[in-house]
């Protein structure tokens, strides 16, 4: 059984499966990645709103965990995605 078999059988929308596979492909050795939503959308040829919905789907289903990155000046940057 392949790694993604559970993902395919999860009942998640296709958009979420696609975004999860993108995140998986871009994760580091600790299982985290932090591409911008616009970057994901552009590389997958999806709208930003579709990517946002996919990330919500994945988080609700427990496939990812998001944390906001903080900048030294107190601002925030894109999210970390933990797989």
């Amino acid at each position: 059984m392949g790694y993604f078999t559970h993902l395919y059988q999860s009942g998640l929308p296709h958009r979420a499966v696609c975004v999860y596979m993108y995140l998986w492909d871009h994760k580091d050795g600790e299982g985290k990645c932090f591409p911008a939503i616009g970057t994901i959308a552009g590389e997958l040829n999806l709208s930003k709103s579709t990517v946002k919905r996919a990330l919500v789907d994945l988080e609700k289903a427990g496939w990812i965990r998001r944390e906001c990155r903080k900048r030294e000046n107190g601002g925030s940057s894109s999210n970390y995605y933990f797989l």
Side-chain angles (χ1 to χ4, degrees), residues 12-50:
L12 286 167
H14 295 295
R15 65 178 178 250
V17 172
C18 183
V19 170
Y20 184 85
M21 293 177 81
Y22 177 90
L23 295 174
W24 179 265
D25 192 44
H26 289 80
K27 69 181 175 66
D28 64 12
E30 297 176 357
K32 63 184 176 180
C33 59
F34 38 91
I37 289 173
T39 301
I40 298 169
E43 291 189 17
L44 295 178
N45 199 27
L46 299 171
S47 70
K48 288 181 183 179
S49 61
T50 297

Side-chain angles (χ1 to χ4, degrees), residues 10 12-13 15-16 52-66:
S10 67
L12 286 167
R15 65 178 178 250
K52 290 176 187 178
R53 286 192 308 271
L55 292 169
V56 169
D57 294 338
L58 290 166
E59 191 170 23
K60 283 183 179 178
W63 284 88
I64 64 168
R65 180 172 49 94
R66 292 195 276 182

